[in-house]
Amino acid sequence: MSKTRIAFIGAGNMASSLIGGLLAKGFDAAQIRASDPGADTRAKVAAEHGIDVFAENEKAVQDADVIVIAVKPQAMKAVCQDLRPHLQPKQLVVSIAAGINASSLLEWLGTQQPLVRCMPNTPALLGKGVSGLFATQQVTQAQRALADELLSAVGVVVWVEQEAQIDAVTAVSGSGPAYFFLLIEAMTNAGVKLGLSHDVAEKLAEHTALGAACMAVDSDADAAELRRRVTSPAGTTEAAIKSFQASGFEATVEKALSAAAHRSAELAEQLGQ
Ligand SMILES: NC(=O)c1ccc[n+]([C@@H]2O[C@H](COP(=O)([O-])OP(=O)(O)OC[C@H]3O[C@@H](n4cnc5c(N)ncnc54)[C@H](OP(=O)(O)O)[C@@H]3O)[C@@H](O)[C@H]2O)c1
C-alpha cells in the first residue's frame, strides 16, 4: 500500500466515489484530504470517509503528492489559476474534468506542472467505471503508476498516448453508458409491445445487458465470436441480427460515436477559453 498523500479539490460525487474506492483498497484516511466550498458537502465527506476537509483549496494541497481536481468543467479555470501559486513542481495534478485539454490546464496551472488528464464515466460512482488517461511529458513513471492506482479505485484504467484520443475515449466510454441505457429502454419498450409488462420487460433487458457485459469481459473470445456462438443458423437471434444489420446498425453506431467525438473536441475548444 502506497503512503502517498492525496488532495481532492471539490468533494462532490466523483471525488467521494474515488475516496471510497481508495479507502476500500487499503489507503489510510490520514493520507486523504479534500476541500470544497460547501459546508454540508464537507461535513458529509468527513463523516462518510473520516478524512480531513478544508474550505480553502490551498490548505488541502499543502504537502500533497497528488492533487485531484474534481470540480465541474466550468469551474476548472478559476480553480487552477487560484491553485497555481500554491503548487510545488513535484506535485502531480490529476484532472477528471470532462472536456478540458491539457494545454488549457497547463496554461492555468503553469506549463511545467506534471499533469494527467482523465476521462472517467458514470459507473465509476459504483466502482464499475472505465477511465481513459493521458499523461503530459513532465509526468514521471512513478506518477503515472500513482494516477493508475488512483483511477483503478473506481474501475478499469486505459492509457492513451495522444491527447486527441481522449475525444475517442469520450465517444466510446464517457458517453457510452447512455447508449446502453438507450438500448435497454428500446428493448423494454419492444418487450412491452410483444406482450410483457413494463417491469418484466425492463428486468429482462437490464439483466441481459449485465450478463452479456460480464460474458464479454470474462471470456477470451471477442464480442463478434460470442455473438456467433449464440446465433444458431435460421434461429431467433439470427432473425434479429439480420434485421439490425439490414437497418444499418453498425453505420448508425459509427455515426453516433463520430458525433460524440466531434462534440468533445468542440467543447474542449469552448471550455479552454
Ligand atoms: N459524475 C460523473 O459520473 C463524472 C463522469 C466523468 C467525469 N466527471 C467529471 O468529474 C468532475 C466532478 O463531477 P461531479 O459529478 O463529482 O460534480 P459535483 O458532484 O458537482 O462535485 C463538484 C464539487 O466541487 C465543488 N466546487 C465548486 N467550486 C469549487 C471550488 N472553487 N473549489 C473546490 N470545490 C469546488 C462543488 O461545490 P458546489 O456544488 O457548491 O458548487 C461540488 O461539491 C466534473 O468535472 C466532471 O466532468 C464526472
Side-chain angles (χ1 to χ4, degrees):
M1 186 203 324
S2 149
K3 276 293 162 203
T4 314
R5 283 159 303 198
I6 305 170
F8 285 86
I9 308 301
N13 294 315
M14 206 60 171
S16 189
S17 299
L18 280 162
I19 295 165
L22 290 169
L23 295 174
K25 276 187 134 193
F27 274 74
D28 195 333
Q31 292 175 260
I32 304 171
R33 76 289 283 270
S35 58
D36 196 286
D40 290 350
T41 307
R42 290 197 301 276
K44 185 167 173 261
V45 165
E48 200 170 326
H49 301 302
I51 61 163
D52 285 338
V53 289
F54 303 91
E56 302 85 4
N57 294 340
E58 61 267 29
K59 287 196 181 156
V61 302
Q62 266 177 22
D63 301 326
D65 300 295
V66 185
I67 297 160
V68 183
I69 310 190
V71 301
K72 290 284 188 211
Q74 295 76 3
M76 284 299 284
K77 184 176 185 179
V79 166
C80 291
Q81 288 176 332
D82 289 349
L83 274 181
R84 185 175 183 153
H86 306 284
L87 295 177
Q88 304 299 317
K90 280 197 288 193
Q91 290 178 309
L92 171 68
V93 175
V94 174
S95 164
I96 61 164
I100 313 246
N101 280 339
S103 58
S104 303
L105 293 163
L106 290 177
E107 193 186 316
W108 305 330
L109 292 163
T111 51
Q112 293 309 306
Q113 202 67 42
L115 173 75
V116 168
R117 181 184 164 197
C118 308
M119 184 61 218
N121 66 0
T122 315
L125 301 177
L126 308 176
K128 303 274 185 203
V130 57
S131 305
L133 273 60
F134 168 76
T136 56
Q137 271 180 352
Q138 284 73 19
V139 177
T140 63
Q141 279 306 320
Q143 288 174 324
R144 232 177 130 99
L146 266 178
D148 200 295
E149 189 177 13
L150 187 75
L151 269 299
S152 295
V154 289
V156 171
V157 166
V158 299
W159 286 87
V160 296
E161 293 311 318
Q162 288 157 29
E163 192 182 4
Q165 292 172 311
I166 290 282
D167 292 327
V169 170
T170 304
V172 176
S173 58
S175 300
Y179 317 154
F180 288 95
F181 298 147
L182 180 66
L183 187 59
I184 289 171
E185 200 183 320
M187 285 172 66
T188 301
N189 291 337
V192 169
K193 285 207 169 132
L194 289 168
L196 298 172
S197 72
H198 186 275
D199 283 359
V200 167
E202 189 175 62
K203 195 173 273 183
L204 292 170
E206 285 173 357
H207 286 272
T208 301
L210 179 65
C214 290
M215 281 183 79
V217 168
D218 287 349
S219 170
D220 289 336
D222 63 13
E225 172 59 21
L226 289 174
R227 173 170 59 78
R228 279 191 287 273
R229 285 183 197 166
V230 294
T231 309
S232 322
T236 58
T237 311
E238 188 185 76
I241 299 287
K242 273 189 172 163
S243 173
F244 272 134
Q245 290 177 332
S247 305
F249 184 75
E250 282 96 341
T252 302
V253 172
E254 193 182 320
K255 201 169 153 196
L257 268 66
S258 294
H262 180 71
R263 185 69 187 134
S264 170
E266 237 173 34
L267 284 173
E269 193 68 30
Q270 287 167 20
L271 289 165
Q273 307 274 313

